[in-house]
Amino acid sequence: MSLVVRSALALLALAGALPAAAQGFAVQVAPPRFEESARPGTVHRNVIEVTNSSPAEGRFRLKTADWTLAPDGSVVFSDALAPGSCRPWVAIEAANLVVAPSARRRFRFEVAVPADAADGQCRFALVVEGEPEPQPDGSMQVNGRIAIIVYLTIGNGAPVLTLVETQVQSVQGRDLPVVRIRNTGNAHARLSGFLDAIGADGRRLTLLPSADPILPGATRDIPLVPVAENADAPEPVLSFPLRLKGRLESPPLRLDVDTDVAKP
């Protein structure tokens, strides 16, 4: 099937992706995201799998969207082309997809990177939504959406990270150390690695950074989460102030940490 359906035809207006298990929308999509690279003047091709776990035939619409992160870390999608959007480079296999009951279909997309594309990153979302259903008032309602995020690093695009500060914040009802990271590069980053910590009670433990993306031009607070000793053990209780030492990484970048962190 020719890849002729261009992303410029896609219309999308939603505040966030709805749960994949919404009523009448029993679908799973894999993988949840792509983190790939491409050179200018090449065509990057990839495939997603759409699984219909319903006993009834599934009919879905597929489209692209631009997206950004809200201050609380949630994803906000938009049908309007964002400044510098790469969605005009994107082609999808079809605008509609029919999947048999309890079956799986593969769906292709491609990104034609212009020969003069600058180093940086192409970011967009592939959105799968249920076929609109008529409502009693005559309107049409989409009964579910799920999005796959695509990060395509172009040429020599790369993050440039700076550790701004370390502090304690309340994260989902618990006090955690947080590293504030600034990304002045032109591609996103995710932190890995671990930090050794010694609490005020003398207890030693290990902290891992959350895998939240740090977008180009953004400064983001990344929580450091204590690791339990085993799968059945409860999460360790932190005793502040903490002494932190170790290295966080977003290969090939490294950020050395050697500091104390205390509650304000």
Side-chain angles (χ1 to χ4, degrees), residues 156-218:
N156 295 317
V160 177
L161 303 182
T162 302
L163 174 58
V164 179
E165 63 177 323
T166 306
Q167 56 183 238
V168 177
Q169 293 183 12
S170 177
V171 180
Q172 296 180 346
R174 53 184 177 166
D175 290 332
L176 291 177
V178 169
V179 288
R180 179 164 295 170
I181 305 295
R182 178 178 297 128
N183 183 1
T184 56
N186 53 16
H188 83 297
R190 295 181 194 274
L191 294 183
S192 59
F194 63 90
L195 298 180
D196 295 321
I198 302 177
D201 57 1
R203 184 179 181 184
R204 294 178 178 270
L205 47 98
T206 300
L207 302 177
L208 296 180
S210 74
D212 299 330
I214 308 165
L215 299 184

Side-chain angles (χ1 to χ4, degrees), residues 13-197:
L14 61 152
L18 298 180
Q23 184 174 358
F25 188 66
V27 62
Q28 296 176 325
V29 179
R33 66 175 181 257
F34 292 92
E35 292 179 301
E36 308 282 350
S37 61
R39 307 298 301 180
T42 64
V43 178
H44 176 83
R45 296 180 175 90
N46 225 315
V47 176
I48 66 173
E49 289 189 343
V50 179
T51 300
N52 176 22
S53 56
S54 168
E57 180 181 79
R59 294 181 174 272
F60 309 105
R61 299 194 308 184
L62 298 101
K63 56 189 72 175
T64 66
D66 279 307
W67 62 273
T68 189
L69 291 176
D72 64 359
S74 62
V75 183
V76 179
F77 299 90
S78 173
D79 61 330
L81 285 178
S85 173
C86 65
R87 284 166 57 204
W89 306 352
V90 183
I92 59 177
E93 182 175 334
N96 298 281
L97 185 68
V98 178
V99 185
S102 303
R104 179 183 302 169
R105 285 280 304 273
R106 291 166 64 86
F107 180 85
R108 298 176 296 162
F109 70 94
E110 67 181 30
V111 184
V113 183
D116 60 352
D119 293 339
Q121 194 167 63
C122 169
R123 295 188 304 276
F124 62 95
L126 294 167
V127 181
V128 180
E129 63 181 24
E131 190 172 65
E133 297 180 350
Q135 302 300 301
D137 61 1
S139 63
M140 300 294 287
Q141 177 177 310
V142 174
N143 63 9
R145 297 184 179 97
I146 190 169
I148 303 95
I149 302 298
V150 179
Y151 302 85
L152 186 64
T153 300
I154 307 301
N156 295 317
V160 177
L161 303 182
T162 302
L163 174 58
V164 179
E165 63 177 323
T166 306
Q167 56 183 238
V168 177
Q169 293 183 12
S170 177
V171 180
Q172 296 180 346
R174 53 184 177 166
D175 290 332
L176 291 177
V178 169
V179 288
R180 179 164 295 170
I181 305 295
R182 178 178 297 128
N183 183 1
T184 56
N186 53 16
H188 83 297
R190 295 181 194 274
L191 294 183
S192 59
F194 63 90
L195 298 180
D196 295 321

